């Protein structure tokens, strides 16, 4: 069956005019909402197409139609590089895509690889778009029960291909914002659970506004399609626990910093007070010492004056005795008193006065 390519390209084509330089194997570096939005706008491999090789002609026409819409589908005939683990590359394509188109046919249900791809998409919480290109056995046990709640799009030989392709376009654009954010959360959660290194797992967790966005995806996804998976819920829970732990650590370090600042301030205040106290005590001691020295000097001067007066008075009295006696014994007494007198200058003056 040939699929007609529409002349007009969907509004989605402008959304994919740029291509991200990242490969599906690149590490997670998006840490905020803006980076995630950029990835959503410019991501490679928007849609994963799962098909059986025997339905390749139909799939090629489907891919041409998707390309006309500006959608870059992940198809294993052109996106798996040589020497790359084939199943690992397929799984990366499913995990990194935001939608999964499975081209159902009897051959598809008989293919073990195709059913594995479908199982990965269902477990990853991807938007599933089942396109029936051939009639299948609806009672087949190989048909996943999860597909029962999804509307199948029929593009068989007996169906109108344009109408079917329009339904594919509508399915890919329904509630697109939620689907893209859900796909991003799914991508992170799958890679998080695949990672075995605990340090790398810790670095893959998100916080802040991006975590709040993913929590809204979990809450709102209960009534939407696709619903959040257990892996997505576990990832968001791990992020929230890590965020709470980080907040507690920040609060603890903040309290420690405040306590350290308060202790430093108190030590500084005590040091200033002690210094001021010592300075006041030193000034007081210095003033007391100066006062004591001054009082001692005054006392010494008063004592010296008293001694001087005493000897002068005694010398004068002795001189008077000499004047009255005019004997050799009197002169001898005056000389002895003069020799023991401390204030010689004054006694010399007195002696000169008394003997003149």
């Amino acid at each position: 069956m040939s699929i007609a390519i529409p002349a007009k390209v969907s509004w989605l084509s402008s959304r994919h005019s740029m291509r991200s330089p990242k490969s599906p194997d690149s590490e997670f570096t998006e840490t905020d909402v803006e980076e995630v939005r950029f990835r959503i706008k410019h991501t490679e491999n928007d849609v994963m197409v799962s098909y059986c090789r025997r339905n390749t002609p139909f799939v090629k026409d489907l891919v041409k139609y998707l390309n006309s819409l500006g959608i870059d589908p992940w198809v294993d005939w052109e996106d798996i590089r040589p020497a790359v683990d084939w199943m690992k590359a397929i799984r990366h394509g499913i995990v990194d895509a935001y939608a999964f188109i499975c081209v159902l046919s009897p051959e598809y249900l008989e293919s073990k690889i195709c059913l594995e791809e479908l199982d990965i998409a269902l477990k990853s919480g991807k938007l599933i778009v089942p396109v029936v290109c051939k009639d299948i056995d609806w009672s087949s046990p190989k048909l996943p029960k999860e597909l029962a709640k999804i509307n199948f799009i029929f593009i068989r030989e007996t169906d109108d291909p344009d109408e079917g392709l329009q339904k594919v376009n509508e399915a890919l654009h329904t509630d697109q914002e939620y689907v893209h954010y859900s796909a991003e959360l799914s991508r992170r959660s799958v890679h998080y659970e695949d990672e075995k290194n605990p340090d790398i797992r810790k670095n893959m967790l998100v916080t802040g506004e991006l975590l709040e966005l993913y929590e809204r995806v979990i809450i709102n996804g209960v009534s939407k399609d696709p619903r959040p998976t257990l892996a997505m819920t576990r990832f968001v829970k791990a992020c929230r626990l890590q965020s709470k732990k980080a907040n507690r650590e920040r609060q603890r370090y903040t309290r420690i910093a405040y306590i350290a600042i308060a202790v430093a301030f108190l030590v500084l205040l005590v040091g200033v007070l002690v210094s001021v106290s010592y300075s006041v005590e030193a000034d007081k001691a210095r003033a007391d010492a100066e006062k004591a020295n001054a009082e001692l000097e005054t006392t010494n001067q008063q004592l010296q004056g008293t001694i001087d007066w005493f000897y002068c008075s005694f010398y004068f009295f002795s001189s008077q005795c000499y004047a009255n006696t005019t004997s050799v014994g009197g002169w001898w007494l005056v000389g002895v008193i003069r020799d023991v007198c401390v204030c010689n200058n004054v006694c010399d003056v007195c002696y000169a006065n008394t003997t003149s």
Side-chain angles (χ1 to χ4, degrees):
M1 179 191 66
S2 176
I3 298 177
I5 305 300
K8 285 190 176 182
V9 178
S10 167
W11 62 269
L12 189 62
S13 60
S14 61
R15 194 177 67 85
H16 301 281
S17 60
M18 298 177 62
R19 290 290 179 253
S20 168
K22 298 179 181 179
S23 67
D25 296 328
S26 62
E27 295 182 357
F28 290 102
T29 58
E30 302 91 341
T31 57
D32 57 36
V33 174
E34 291 303 320
E35 290 175 340
V36 171
R37 286 172 179 165
F38 180 86
R39 175 182 169 82
I40 289 175
K41 286 184 178 181
H42 308 304
T43 184
E44 294 182 3
N45 304 321
D46 307 281
V47 177
M48 169 67 183
V49 178
S50 175
Y51 70 102
C52 178
R53 297 287 184 182
R54 281 177 281 180
N55 304 130
T56 298
F58 175 87
V59 174
K60 286 187 175 180
D61 289 338
L62 177 62
V63 169
K64 289 180 181 178
Y65 175 78
L66 294 175
N67 288 334
S68 71
L69 299 178
I71 299 176
D72 181 19
W74 202 108
V75 188
D76 62 1
W77 70 63
E78 60 183 23
D79 283 341
I80 298 180
R81 301 186 298 274
V84 173
D85 187 329
W86 181 71
M87 198 60 206
K88 182 179 180 181
I90 291 290
R91 188 170 184 273
H92 270 299
I94 298 172
V95 170
D96 290 346
Y98 80 86
F100 181 87
I101 297 178
C102 54
V103 181
L104 297 177
S105 66
E107 297 82 8
Y108 188 94
L109 295 181
E110 294 298 325
S111 171
K112 180 180 178 181
I113 299 299
C114 291
L115 293 179
E116 287 182 2
E117 294 173 357
L118 179 57
D119 184 64
I120 293 172
L122 289 170
K123 290 181 178 179
S124 301
K126 297 298 176 182
L127 173 65
I128 308 296
V129 181
V131 176
V132 181
C133 68
K134 292 182 181 180
D135 285 320
I136 60 175
D137 182 6
W138 299 102
S139 61
S140 172
K142 296 181 179 179
L143 188 67
K145 295 180 180 179
E146 292 84 354
L147 293 181
K149 61 181 180 180
I150 302 176
N151 292 326
F152 291 86
I153 299 175
F154 295 92
I155 312 181
R156 298 163 297 186
E157 290 288 344
T158 57
D159 298 315
D160 182 1
D162 293 335
E163 181 181 352
L165 293 174
Q166 181 61 31
K167 289 181 179 180
V168 171
N169 189 18
E170 291 175 358
L172 294 176
H173 291 78
T174 301
D175 203 359
Q176 194 175 26
E177 184 177 11
Y178 166 78
V179 171
H180 277 87
Y181 285 128
S182 176
E184 275 296 304
L185 176 55
S186 170
R187 181 177 70 92
R188 286 179 179 272
S189 64
V190 170
H191 285 286
Y192 175 77
E193 298 207 339
D194 287 346
E195 182 57 54
K196 304 303 180 183
N197 189 314
D199 294 331
I200 298 178
R201 283 169 61 90
K202 183 178 179 180
N203 292 332
M204 294 172 70
L205 299 175
V206 300
T207 59
E209 186 180 358
L210 187 56
L211 174 56
E212 293 176 358
L213 186 149
Y214 286 157
E215 287 176 331
R216 289 196 297 271
V217 169
I218 296 296
I219 295 173
N220 298 332
V222 176
S223 58
K224 292 180 179 291
D225 185 40
R227 291 186 179 183
T229 64
L230 290 178
M232 294 162 64
T233 304
R234 286 193 295 266
F235 176 76
V236 171
K237 184 178 180 180
C239 292
R240 177 51 62 188
L241 290 176
Q242 177 65 22
S243 178
K244 289 182 178 179
K245 182 179 179 181
N247 288 336
R248 287 195 297 267
E249 287 294 320
R250 281 194 296 269
Q251 292 174 359
R252 185 169 71 89
Y253 288 133
T254 301
R255 287 195 297 268
I256 293 174
Y258 285 155
I259 292 173
I261 293 173
V263 170
F265 177 76
L266 289 176
V267 170
L268 179 62
L269 181 60
V270 170
V272 171
L273 293 177
V274 170
S275 177
V276 171
S277 176
Y278 283 160
S279 178
V280 171
E281 291 293 331
D283 291 342
K284 183 179 179 181
R286 186 165 49 250
D288 291 343
E290 292 177 354
K291 181 178 179 181
N293 290 335
E295 291 177 352
L296 181 60
E297 183 68 24
T298 302
T299 302
N300 289 338
Q301 291 177 0
Q302 291 176 353
L303 180 60
Q304 187 66 39
T306 302
I307 293 172
D308 291 346
W309 176 84
F310 173 76
Y311 281 112
C312 289
S313 298
F314 191 70
Y315 189 81
F316 179 76
F317 173 75
S318 300
S319 299
Q320 292 297 321
C321 291
Y322 168 75
N324 293 328
T325 60
T326 61
S327 65
V328 177
W331 279 105
W332 176 82
L333 179 61
V334 172
V336 172
I337 293 174
R338 181 178 179 275
D339 290 338
V340 298
C341 183
V342 177
C343 43
N344 294 323
N345 293 332
V346 176
C347 293
D348 287 343
V349 171
C350 296
Y351 177 76
N353 292 331
T354 56
T355 57
S356 58

